[in-house]
Amino acid sequence: MFIVHFGARSYLKVKIVKHLTIVSLTLGTKMATTICFIIWVLFITDTVWTRSVRQVYEANDPEDWMVHDFHCPRECFCPPSFPTALYCENRGLKAIPAIPSRIWYLYLENNLIETIPEKPFENATQLRWINLNKNKITNYGIEKGALSQLKKLLFLFLEDNELEEVPSPLPRSLEQLQLARNKVSRIPQGTFSNLENLTLLDLQHNKLLDNAFQRDTFKGLKNLMQLNMAKNSLRNMPPRLPANTMQLFLDNNSIEGIPENYFNAIPKVAFLRLNHNKLSDAGLPSSGFNVSSILDLQLSHNQLTKVPQISAHLQHLHLDHNKIKSK
C-alpha cells in the first residue's frame, strides 16, 4: 500500500495510475499504515541526530563541576543548575565574550555580532554546541582557525547571517552544519574534505547556482545523511553527492531535468523532495523514479503531464499542481 497525493481532486486523477492497485481500507487499517510510515520517517530522520545527541549529552559526574571555575561573562547568564551552558542571546552584543573552559553549549543568537575571532575561544576546549543564528557575521569576519580549533564541536548554527561562502576550515568533529538563509553562492574547493563526521548539511535559502559545484565538492562527506539545498537557484541536480545520502531536499529551485542513472550514486536515498521546480516528462530519466530505496517522493508544482515510473517500495507520492489529466 502507498498513498498518492494529487491534491483536492485526487479521487479523479488516481484512475490514471493503471499499474497500481488502489485498495479501499477500513479507517483502522489506514491509521495503522499511516502510523507505521510516520514511525519509519521519524526513525530515518532521527538517525541524523542520534549519535550527536548521545555525545552532546555525555556529562561528567556532578561532583566534577566543583573543580571548574564558575566565572560568568557579565553580558551573559549562567544557570547554576546547568553549569555547562552559557546564554548570551538577545542582548545586542557586538562581540563574543571570553568563553569559560567549562562551557559545552553556547547560545549567541539574535545579536549584532559581525566577527568570530580566535581569542574568545582560546579556553573553550569543551564546546559541543554553538548557536550564532541571526547575527551579522561575514566570511571576512571569521578569523582563520577560530572554528577549526574547537576539536570537540558537534553542532554549528550560523543561520540568518551575511555569509557569502561556506566557512572554512571547520573542525573534523562537526556533525551538523546549519547555514540556512545566508547569501552563500560559493563553496571553496576542499571545504568538506576533512568533515567525514558530518551527517547534516543545511544550505537552504541561499544563492547557490550550478557553477558553485565541482565534481569533488562533496568529497570527504562519507557519513552525510541529510542534504538540504531548497530555495536556491539550481537548474541541474547537484553532482557527485555522498553515497550515504538518505534525505535530499531540493524544493524551490529551477531544476529542469535529472540525468540518466543519477540515483545510482546515492543508493540509500529514501526521502526526495523536488517540489516547486521545472521538471517535465522529457527531463526525467528513462526509468523515472524506479528506485527501490525511495519511500517518499515529492514532485508537486512541476510540469509533469503523466505519472512517472516508480518503485513498488514507494509509500508516499506527491504530484499535486502538475499538468496531469484524469482519463
Side-chain angles (χ1 to χ4, degrees), residues 164-196:
E164 295 182 0
E165 62 182 45
V166 178
S168 179
L170 294 169
R172 186 182 298 271
S173 57
L174 201 63
E175 295 189 3
Q176 296 199 16
L177 178 59
Q178 309 266 4
L179 298 173
R181 295 176 299 279
N182 275 274
K183 301 176 181 179
V184 175
S185 62
R186 299 185 300 275
I187 304 176
Q189 189 169 14
T191 295
F192 302 126
S193 61
N194 71 323
L195 298 183
E196 64 266 22

Side-chain angles (χ1 to χ4, degrees), residues 59-60 62 65 70 77-87 102 105:
N60 296 330
W65 301 127
F70 281 89
F77 171 63
C78 301
S81 60
F82 195 10
T84 56
L86 183 61
Y87 293 92
R102 70 178 187 276
Y105 313 97

Side-chain angles (χ1 to χ4, degrees), residues 245-273:
T245 303
M246 298 179 70
Q247 301 174 40
L248 178 59
F249 305 145
L250 293 166
D251 315 76
N252 293 92
N253 279 282
S254 299
I255 296 172
E256 299 174 349
I258 300 173
E260 199 73 30
N261 302 318
Y262 181 83
F263 299 107
N264 290 355
I266 45 175
K268 298 181 181 180
V269 63
F271 302 93
L272 179 60
R273 292 195 335 217

Side-chain angles (χ1 to χ4, degrees), residues 1 3 23-37:
M1 171 64 183
I3 301 171
V23 182
S24 296
L25 299 175
T26 63
L27 179 61
T29 305
K30 280 186 177 180
M31 290 179 66
T33 302
T34 302
I35 291 170
C36 287
F37 180 74

Side-chain angles (χ1 to χ4, degrees), residues 5 228-232 234 237 248-256 258 271-279 289 296-304 316-322:
H5 303 264
N228 190 341
M229 290 190 289
K231 295 187 178 180
N232 278 280
L234 305 180
M237 299 290 283
L248 178 59
F249 305 145
L250 293 166
D251 315 76
N252 293 92
N253 279 282
S254 299
I255 296 172
E256 299 174 349
I258 300 173
F271 302 93
L272 179 60
R273 292 195 335 217
L274 283 160
N275 302 317
H276 292 276
N277 276 284
K278 297 182 179 180
L279 290 172
F289 296 93
D296 187 282
L297 176 60
Q298 299 189 21
L299 299 170
S300 302
H301 295 271
N302 277 282
Q303 299 173 12
L304 302 175
H316 277 228
L317 175 61
H318 301 253
L319 287 168
D320 56 284
H321 293 87
N322 276 278

Side-chain angles (χ1 to χ4, degrees), residues 69-317:
D69 176 11
F70 281 89
H71 167 71
C72 185
R74 60 181 179 82
E75 306 96 328
C76 307
F77 171 63
C78 301
S81 60
F82 195 10
T84 56
L86 183 61
Y87 293 92
C88 313
E89 74 275 30
N90 305 307
R91 294 171 187 264
L93 299 182
K94 294 184 177 181
I96 299 173
I99 311 303
S101 60
R102 70 178 187 276
I103 299 303
W104 285 28
Y105 313 97
L106 176 59
Y107 299 89
L108 285 161
E109 64 268 31
N110 199 23
N111 281 293
L112 303 172
I113 297 168
E114 298 180 0
T115 63
I116 304 178
E118 282 190 53
K119 189 170 178 56
F121 297 101
E122 60 185 3
N123 294 319
T125 58
Q126 300 300 315
L127 274 174
R128 267 68 165 180
W129 175 298
I130 298 178
N131 189 333
L132 277 160
N133 291 344
K134 296 185 179 180
N135 278 283
K136 297 184 176 183
I137 298 166
T138 65
N139 289 96
Y140 296 108
I142 302 177
E143 187 175 353
K144 187 174 183 179
L147 296 172
S148 60
Q149 68 177 330
L150 304 174
K151 304 300 184 184
K152 296 184 179 181
L153 189 66
L154 301 175
F155 294 82
L156 178 58
F157 298 84
L158 284 166
E159 299 178 349
D160 298 286
N161 277 281
E162 304 291 331
L163 299 174
E164 295 182 0
E165 62 182 45
V166 178
S168 179
L170 294 169
R172 186 182 298 271
S173 57
L174 201 63
E175 295 189 3
Q176 296 199 16
L177 178 59
Q178 309 266 4
L179 298 173
R181 295 176 299 279
N182 275 274
K183 301 176 181 179
V184 175
S185 62
R186 299 185 300 275
I187 304 176
Q189 189 169 14
T191 295
F192 302 126
S193 61
N194 71 323
L195 298 183
E196 64 266 22
N197 293 305
L198 199 70
T199 59
L200 183 150
L201 175 59
D202 189 350
L203 286 164
Q204 67 173 303
H205 213 305
N206 276 283
K207 297 186 176 182
L208 291 170
L209 299 170
D210 295 326
N211 62 11
F213 306 107
Q214 307 300 318
R215 289 176 64 84
D216 62 349
T217 294
F218 298 103
K219 184 178 181 180
L221 297 177
K222 299 177 181 178
N223 290 298
L224 191 72
M225 297 174 65
Q226 184 183 116
L227 178 59
N228 190 341
M229 290 190 289
K231 295 187 178 180
N232 278 280
S233 300
L234 305 180
R235 298 185 64 183
N236 297 295
M237 299 290 283
R240 298 268 183 122
L241 296 182
N244 283 319
T245 303
M246 298 179 70
Q247 301 174 40
L248 178 59
F249 305 145
L250 293 166
D251 315 76
N252 293 92
N253 279 282
S254 299
I255 296 172
E256 299 174 349
I258 300 173
E260 199 73 30
N261 302 318
Y262 181 83
F263 299 107
N264 290 355
I266 45 175
K268 298 181 181 180
V269 63
F271 302 93
L272 179 60
R273 292 195 335 217
L274 283 160
N275 302 317
H276 292 276
N277 276 284
K278 297 182 179 180
L279 290 172
S280 64
D281 302 328
L284 301 185
S286 57
S287 59
F289 296 93
N290 190 7
V291 180
S292 61
S293 63
I294 297 179
L295 301 176
D296 187 282
L297 176 60
Q298 299 189 21
L299 299 170
S300 302
H301 295 271
N302 277 282
Q303 299 173 12
L304 302 175
T305 63
K306 59 184 180 182
V307 177
Q309 290 189 52
I310 55 174
S311 165
H313 298 280
L314 189 68
Q315 296 189 23
H316 277 228
L317 175 61

